[in-house]
Each structure stands twice: as structure tokens, then as C-alpha cells.
mmCIF file of all heavy atoms in Angstrom:
data_model
loop_
_atom_site.group_PDB
_atom_site.id
_atom_site.type_symbol
_atom_site.label_atom_id
_atom_site.label_comp_id
_atom_site.label_asym_id
_atom_site.label_seq_id
_atom_site.Cartn_x
_atom_site.Cartn_y
_atom_site.Cartn_z
ATOM 1 N N ARG A 1016 0.853 -1.226 0.015
ATOM 2 C CA ARG A 1016 0.004 0.036 -0.042
ATOM 3 C C ARG A 1016 0.847 1.246 -0.056
ATOM 4 O O ARG A 1016 0.643 2.182 -0.730
ATOM 5 C CB ARG A 1016 -0.845 0.011 1.360
ATOM 6 C CG ARG A 1016 -1.762 1.277 1.196
ATOM 7 C CD ARG A 1016 -2.719 1.145 2.538
ATOM 8 N NE ARG A 1016 -3.450 2.305 2.679
ATOM 9 C CZ ARG A 1016 -3.131 3.296 3.557
ATOM 10 N NH1 ARG A 1016 -2.038 3.167 4.278
ATOM 11 N NH2 ARG A 1016 -3.761 4.440 3.667
ATOM 12 N N GLN A 1017 1.986 1.257 0.772
ATOM 13 C CA GLN A 1017 2.867 2.458 0.832
ATOM 14 C C GLN A 1017 3.461 2.618 -0.542
ATOM 15 O O GLN A 1017 3.586 3.804 -0.881
ATOM 16 C CB GLN A 1017 3.920 2.208 1.952
ATOM 17 C CG GLN A 1017 3.379 2.487 3.365
ATOM 18 C CD GLN A 1017 2.921 3.795 3.641
ATOM 19 O OE1 GLN A 1017 1.844 4.191 3.249
ATOM 20 N NE2 GLN A 1017 3.791 4.643 4.191
ATOM 21 N N TRP A 1018 3.941 1.623 -1.156
ATOM 22 C CA TRP A 1018 4.480 1.675 -2.566
ATOM 23 C C TRP A 1018 3.485 2.373 -3.392
ATOM 24 O O TRP A 1018 3.817 3.205 -4.303
ATOM 25 C CB TRP A 1018 4.940 0.303 -2.947
ATOM 26 C CG TRP A 1018 5.626 0.356 -4.268
ATOM 27 C CD1 TRP A 1018 6.936 0.701 -4.515
ATOM 28 C CD2 TRP A 1018 4.947 0.108 -5.553
ATOM 29 N NE1 TRP A 1018 7.112 0.665 -5.906
ATOM 30 C CE2 TRP A 1018 6.015 0.256 -6.453
ATOM 31 C CE3 TRP A 1018 3.700 -0.191 -5.950
ATOM 32 C CZ2 TRP A 1018 5.696 0.118 -7.891
ATOM 33 C CZ3 TRP A 1018 3.566 -0.491 -7.251
ATOM 34 C CH2 TRP A 1018 4.466 -0.347 -8.289
ATOM 35 N N HIS A 1019 2.280 1.843 -3.470
ATOM 36 C CA HIS A 1019 1.251 2.414 -4.309
ATOM 37 C C HIS A 1019 1.088 3.950 -4.045
ATOM 38 O O HIS A 1019 0.814 4.683 -5.009
ATOM 39 C CB HIS A 1019 -0.131 1.636 -4.201
ATOM 40 C CG HIS A 1019 -0.083 0.340 -4.947
ATOM 41 N ND1 HIS A 1019 0.014 0.200 -6.291
ATOM 42 C CD2 HIS A 1019 0.005 -0.856 -4.555
ATOM 43 C CE1 HIS A 1019 0.221 -1.077 -6.668
ATOM 44 N NE2 HIS A 1019 -0.011 -1.814 -5.601
ATOM 45 N N LEU A 1020 0.935 4.186 -2.779
ATOM 46 C CA LEU A 1020 0.921 5.669 -2.458
ATOM 47 C C LEU A 1020 2.010 6.528 -2.901
ATOM 48 O O LEU A 1020 1.861 7.612 -3.365
ATOM 49 C CB LEU A 1020 0.689 5.937 -0.933
ATOM 50 C CG LEU A 1020 -0.669 5.321 -0.210
ATOM 51 C CD1 LEU A 1020 -0.544 5.421 1.239
ATOM 52 C CD2 LEU A 1020 -1.776 5.946 -0.788
ATOM 53 N N HIS A 1021 3.199 5.903 -2.840
ATOM 54 C CA HIS A 1021 4.380 6.641 -3.365
ATOM 55 C C HIS A 1021 4.364 6.794 -4.825
ATOM 56 O O HIS A 1021 4.642 7.907 -5.400
ATOM 57 C CB HIS A 1021 5.662 5.858 -2.985
ATOM 58 C CG HIS A 1021 6.867 6.505 -3.337
ATOM 59 N ND1 HIS A 1021 7.308 7.690 -2.570
ATOM 60 C CD2 HIS A 1021 7.759 6.246 -4.242
ATOM 61 C CE1 HIS A 1021 8.516 8.036 -3.113
ATOM 62 N NE2 HIS A 1021 8.846 7.237 -4.181
ATOM 63 N N VAL A 1022 3.943 5.788 -5.531
ATOM 64 C CA VAL A 1022 3.727 6.008 -6.991
ATOM 65 C C VAL A 1022 2.804 6.976 -7.375
ATOM 66 O O VAL A 1022 2.886 7.826 -8.283
ATOM 67 C CB VAL A 1022 3.417 4.500 -7.613
ATOM 68 C CG1 VAL A 1022 2.907 4.667 -9.184
ATOM 69 C CG2 VAL A 1022 4.575 3.499 -7.619
ATOM 70 N N LEU A 1023 1.667 7.031 -6.669
ATOM 71 C CA LEU A 1023 0.625 8.045 -6.895
ATOM 72 C C LEU A 1023 1.109 9.433 -6.655
ATOM 73 O O LEU A 1023 0.839 10.362 -7.366
ATOM 74 C CB LEU A 1023 -0.754 7.778 -5.974
ATOM 75 C CG LEU A 1023 -1.755 8.765 -6.046
ATOM 76 C CD1 LEU A 1023 -2.347 8.871 -7.493
ATOM 77 C CD2 LEU A 1023 -2.970 8.287 -5.189
ATOM 78 N N ALA A 1024 1.866 9.607 -5.515
ATOM 79 C CA ALA A 1024 2.496 10.809 -5.187
ATOM 80 C C ALA A 1024 3.412 11.320 -6.259
ATOM 81 O O ALA A 1024 3.496 12.514 -6.596
ATOM 82 C CB ALA A 1024 3.286 10.819 -3.749
ATOM 83 N N GLU A 1025 4.101 10.356 -6.944
ATOM 84 C CA GLU A 1025 5.055 10.703 -7.939
ATOM 85 C C GLU A 1025 4.289 11.209 -9.172
ATOM 86 O O GLU A 1025 4.674 12.012 -9.883
ATOM 87 C CB GLU A 1025 5.917 9.516 -8.362
ATOM 88 C CG GLU A 1025 7.018 9.228 -7.321
ATOM 89 C CD GLU A 1025 7.958 8.020 -7.792
ATOM 90 O OE1 GLU A 1025 7.612 7.280 -8.688
ATOM 91 O OE2 GLU A 1025 8.960 7.920 -7.209
ATOM 92 N N ARG A 1026 3.182 10.517 -9.446
ATOM 93 C CA ARG A 1026 2.364 10.862 -10.617
ATOM 94 C C ARG A 1026 1.834 12.340 -10.447
ATOM 95 O O ARG A 1026 1.806 13.166 -11.413
ATOM 96 C CB ARG A 1026 1.182 9.860 -10.804
ATOM 97 C CG ARG A 1026 1.641 8.640 -11.392
ATOM 98 C CD ARG A 1026 0.447 7.656 -11.597
ATOM 99 N NE ARG A 1026 -0.650 8.331 -12.462
ATOM 100 C CZ ARG A 1026 -1.956 8.194 -12.281
ATOM 101 N NH1 ARG A 1026 -2.335 7.478 -11.401
ATOM 102 N NH2 ARG A 1026 -2.763 8.797 -13.069
ATOM 103 N N LEU A 1027 1.394 12.562 -9.216
ATOM 104 C CA LEU A 1027 0.780 13.998 -8.956
ATOM 105 C C LEU A 1027 1.966 14.946 -9.059
ATOM 106 O O LEU A 1027 1.846 15.996 -9.703
ATOM 107 C CB LEU A 1027 0.257 14.041 -7.450
ATOM 108 C CG LEU A 1027 -0.954 13.214 -7.152
ATOM 109 C CD1 LEU A 1027 -1.190 13.092 -5.727
ATOM 110 C CD2 LEU A 1027 -2.188 13.948 -7.940
ATOM 111 N N ASP A 1028 3.188 14.612 -8.529
ATOM 112 C CA ASP A 1028 4.325 15.640 -8.674
ATOM 113 C C ASP A 1028 4.738 15.825 -10.045
ATOM 114 O O ASP A 1028 5.057 16.827 -10.548
ATOM 115 C CB ASP A 1028 5.501 15.000 -7.901
ATOM 116 C CG ASP A 1028 6.481 15.997 -7.746
ATOM 117 O OD1 ASP A 1028 6.320 17.233 -7.463
ATOM 118 O OD2 ASP A 1028 7.717 15.596 -7.658
ATOM 119 N N ARG A 1029 4.676 14.667 -10.875
ATOM 120 C CA ARG A 1029 5.037 14.880 -12.313
ATOM 121 C C ARG A 1029 4.080 15.733 -13.106
ATOM 122 O O ARG A 1029 4.413 16.515 -13.880
ATOM 123 C CB ARG A 1029 5.101 13.468 -12.947
ATOM 124 C CG ARG A 1029 6.105 13.300 -14.037
ATOM 125 C CD ARG A 1029 6.364 11.993 -14.541
ATOM 126 N NE ARG A 1029 5.571 10.872 -14.308
ATOM 127 C CZ ARG A 1029 5.667 9.973 -13.317
ATOM 128 N NH1 ARG A 1029 6.874 10.021 -12.528
ATOM 129 N NH2 ARG A 1029 4.771 9.105 -13.088
ATOM 130 N N TYR A 1030 2.772 15.573 -12.730
ATOM 131 C CA TYR A 1030 1.728 16.350 -13.290
ATOM 132 C C TYR A 1030 2.022 17.827 -12.952
ATOM 133 O O TYR A 1030 1.869 18.801 -13.879
ATOM 134 C CB TYR A 1030 0.348 15.954 -12.726
ATOM 135 C CG TYR A 1030 -0.791 16.725 -13.331
ATOM 136 C CD1 TYR A 1030 -1.275 16.278 -14.622
ATOM 137 C CD2 TYR A 1030 -1.250 17.951 -12.933
ATOM 138 C CE1 TYR A 1030 -2.433 16.950 -15.212
ATOM 139 C CE2 TYR A 1030 -2.343 18.571 -13.539
ATOM 140 C CZ TYR A 1030 -2.872 18.198 -14.659
ATOM 141 O OH TYR A 1030 -3.892 18.792 -15.257
ATOM 142 N N LEU A 1031 2.418 18.177 -11.724
ATOM 143 C CA LEU A 1031 2.658 19.497 -11.315
ATOM 144 C C LEU A 1031 3.809 20.057 -12.038
ATOM 145 O O LEU A 1031 3.808 21.187 -12.431
ATOM 146 C CB LEU A 1031 3.035 19.402 -9.800
ATOM 147 C CG LEU A 1031 2.618 20.609 -8.943
ATOM 148 C CD1 LEU A 1031 1.128 20.902 -8.945
ATOM 149 C CD2 LEU A 1031 3.065 20.429 -7.604
ATOM 150 N N GLU A 1032 4.781 19.201 -12.185
ATOM 151 C CA GLU A 1032 6.074 19.715 -12.934
ATOM 152 C C GLU A 1032 5.718 20.040 -14.377
ATOM 153 O O GLU A 1032 6.270 20.924 -14.877
ATOM 154 C CB GLU A 1032 7.142 18.524 -12.907
ATOM 155 C CG GLU A 1032 8.500 18.844 -13.542
ATOM 156 C CD GLU A 1032 9.451 17.798 -13.365
ATOM 157 O OE1 GLU A 1032 9.088 16.606 -13.080
ATOM 158 O OE2 GLU A 1032 10.589 17.998 -13.697
ATOM 159 N N ASN A 1033 4.754 19.336 -14.969
ATOM 160 C CA ASN A 1033 4.473 19.536 -16.445
ATOM 161 C C ASN A 1033 3.382 20.613 -16.684
ATOM 162 O O ASN A 1033 3.184 21.003 -17.753
ATOM 163 C CB ASN A 1033 4.053 18.322 -16.980
ATOM 164 C CG ASN A 1033 5.119 17.153 -17.148
ATOM 165 O OD1 ASN A 1033 6.252 17.490 -17.385
ATOM 166 N ND2 ASN A 1033 4.698 15.895 -16.981
ATOM 167 N N HIS A 1034 2.701 21.040 -15.516
ATOM 168 C CA HIS A 1034 1.591 21.962 -15.779
ATOM 169 C C HIS A 1034 1.743 23.120 -14.787
ATOM 170 O O HIS A 1034 0.806 23.918 -14.605
ATOM 171 C CB HIS A 1034 0.369 21.228 -15.504
ATOM 172 C CG HIS A 1034 0.031 20.266 -16.482
ATOM 173 N ND1 HIS A 1034 0.435 18.875 -16.306
ATOM 174 C CD2 HIS A 1034 -0.624 20.210 -17.620
ATOM 175 C CE1 HIS A 1034 0.100 18.081 -17.309
ATOM 176 N NE2 HIS A 1034 -0.586 19.031 -18.193
ATOM 177 N N PHE A 1035 2.902 23.421 -14.141
ATOM 178 C CA PHE A 1035 2.986 24.526 -13.123
ATOM 179 C C PHE A 1035 2.723 25.880 -13.665
ATOM 180 O O PHE A 1035 2.482 26.756 -13.059
ATOM 181 C CB PHE A 1035 4.412 24.451 -12.487
ATOM 182 C CG PHE A 1035 5.544 24.792 -13.355
ATOM 183 C CD1 PHE A 1035 5.941 26.249 -13.504
ATOM 184 C CD2 PHE A 1035 6.362 23.823 -14.023
ATOM 185 C CE1 PHE A 1035 7.081 26.571 -14.265
ATOM 186 C CE2 PHE A 1035 7.421 24.085 -14.784
ATOM 187 C CZ PHE A 1035 7.704 25.501 -14.887
ATOM 188 N N GLN A 1036 2.892 26.087 -15.073
ATOM 189 C CA GLN A 1036 2.651 27.351 -15.708
ATOM 190 C C GLN A 1036 1.260 27.793 -15.862
ATOM 191 O O GLN A 1036 0.965 29.062 -15.967
ATOM 192 C CB GLN A 1036 3.225 27.344 -17.153
ATOM 193 C CG GLN A 1036 4.716 27.264 -17.256
ATOM 194 C CD GLN A 1036 5.225 25.868 -17.762
ATOM 195 O OE1 GLN A 1036 4.546 24.996 -17.696
ATOM 196 N NE2 GLN A 1036 6.521 25.929 -18.144
ATOM 197 N N GLN A 1037 0.342 26.798 -15.508
ATOM 198 C CA GLN A 1037 -1.044 27.236 -15.527
ATOM 199 C C GLN A 1037 -1.455 27.855 -14.264
ATOM 200 O O GLN A 1037 -1.203 27.431 -13.153
ATOM 201 C CB GLN A 1037 -1.928 25.943 -15.549
ATOM 202 C CG GLN A 1037 -1.742 25.175 -16.824
ATOM 203 C CD GLN A 1037 -2.506 23.794 -16.857
ATOM 204 O OE1 GLN A 1037 -3.252 23.541 -15.890
ATOM 205 N NE2 GLN A 1037 -2.246 23.082 -17.856
ATOM 206 N N ASP A 1038 -1.834 29.231 -14.441
ATOM 207 C CA ASP A 1038 -2.255 30.006 -13.171
ATOM 208 C C ASP A 1038 -3.425 29.501 -12.475
ATOM 209 O O ASP A 1038 -3.759 29.937 -11.336
ATOM 210 C CB ASP A 1038 -2.261 31.530 -13.492
ATOM 211 C CG ASP A 1038 -3.379 31.857 -14.398
ATOM 212 O OD1 ASP A 1038 -4.091 30.908 -14.878
ATOM 213 O OD2 ASP A 1038 -3.615 33.104 -14.535
ATOM 214 N N THR A 1039 -4.211 28.599 -13.065
ATOM 215 C CA THR A 1039 -5.339 28.038 -12.380
ATOM 216 C C THR A 1039 -5.079 26.586 -11.741
ATOM 217 O O THR A 1039 -6.005 26.142 -11.192
ATOM 218 C CB THR A 1039 -6.455 27.753 -13.516
ATOM 219 O OG1 THR A 1039 -5.995 27.032 -14.525
ATOM 220 C CG2 THR A 1039 -6.943 29.133 -14.127
ATOM 221 N N LEU A 1040 -3.796 26.291 -11.869
ATOM 222 C CA LEU A 1040 -3.454 24.998 -11.046
ATOM 223 C C LEU A 1040 -3.695 25.151 -9.640
ATOM 224 O O LEU A 1040 -3.175 26.043 -8.933
ATOM 225 C CB LEU A 1040 -2.006 24.603 -11.360
ATOM 226 C CG LEU A 1040 -1.500 23.253 -10.996
ATOM 227 C CD1 LEU A 1040 -2.401 22.131 -11.703
ATOM 228 C CD2 LEU A 1040 -0.056 23.022 -11.433
ATOM 229 N N SER A 1041 -4.448 24.137 -9.099
ATOM 230 C CA SER A 1041 -4.740 24.184 -7.626
ATOM 231 C C SER A 1041 -4.950 22.838 -7.109
ATOM 232 O O SER A 1041 -4.943 21.881 -8.009
ATOM 233 C CB SER A 1041 -6.014 25.050 -7.438
ATOM 234 O OG SER A 1041 -7.157 24.381 -7.995
ATOM 235 N N LEU A 1042 -5.098 22.632 -5.856
ATOM 236 C CA LEU A 1042 -5.467 21.386 -5.252
ATOM 237 C C LEU A 1042 -6.850 20.967 -5.847
ATOM 238 O O LEU A 1042 -6.986 19.706 -6.087
ATOM 239 C CB LEU A 1042 -5.675 21.458 -3.822
ATOM 240 C CG LEU A 1042 -4.308 21.382 -2.920
ATOM 241 C CD1 LEU A 1042 -4.701 21.792 -1.421
ATOM 242 C CD2 LEU A 1042 -3.700 20.084 -3.092
ATOM 243 N N GLY A 1043 -7.870 21.818 -6.058
ATOM 244 C CA GLY A 1043 -9.075 21.365 -6.612
ATOM 245 C C GLY A 1043 -8.921 20.874 -8.027
ATOM 246 O O GLY A 1043 -9.606 19.903 -8.419
ATOM 247 N N HIS A 1044 -8.038 21.563 -8.820
ATOM 248 C CA HIS A 1044 -7.763 21.042 -10.231
ATOM 249 C C HIS A 1044 -7.227 19.574 -10.090
ATOM 250 O O HIS A 1044 -7.613 18.768 -10.985
ATOM 251 C CB HIS A 1044 -6.689 21.971 -10.772
ATOM 252 C CG HIS A 1044 -6.350 21.693 -12.246
ATOM 253 N ND1 HIS A 1044 -7.062 22.080 -13.342
ATOM 254 C CD2 HIS A 1044 -5.315 21.005 -12.659
ATOM 255 C CE1 HIS A 1044 -6.416 21.609 -14.417
ATOM 256 N NE2 HIS A 1044 -5.424 20.839 -14.076
ATOM 257 N N LEU A 1045 -6.139 19.287 -9.216
ATOM 258 C CA LEU A 1045 -5.558 17.979 -9.149
ATOM 259 C C LEU A 1045 -6.640 17.027 -8.678
ATOM 260 O O LEU A 1045 -6.786 15.924 -9.201
ATOM 261 C CB LEU A 1045 -4.418 18.071 -8.230
ATOM 262 C CG LEU A 1045 -3.138 18.504 -8.713
ATOM 263 C CD1 LEU A 1045 -2.030 18.332 -7.519
ATOM 264 C CD2 LEU A 1045 -2.613 17.726 -9.871
ATOM 265 N N SER A 1046 -7.514 17.485 -7.730
ATOM 266 C CA SER A 1046 -8.542 16.455 -7.236
ATOM 267 C C SER A 1046 -9.540 16.083 -8.420
ATOM 268 O O SER A 1046 -9.886 15.025 -8.417
ATOM 269 C CB SER A 1046 -9.409 17.353 -6.168
ATOM 270 O OG SER A 1046 -10.444 16.391 -5.755
#
């Protein structure tokens, strides 16, 4: 379970890295 959570966190972080220029990027957007 911890490994799956880590992988999910990496996916979220990668998404942030690729879309940080969007001024509308927020927790709600990721959600």
C-alpha cells in the first residue's frame, strides 16, 4: 500500500512539474 501511495504521489508531482505554468493549477484542479 505504501508503495502504491508513493507511485501516486510521484504521478501527482510529475503532473505538477508539467503543468506548473497554468495559473489556475490548484488542489481542486488535481482533485
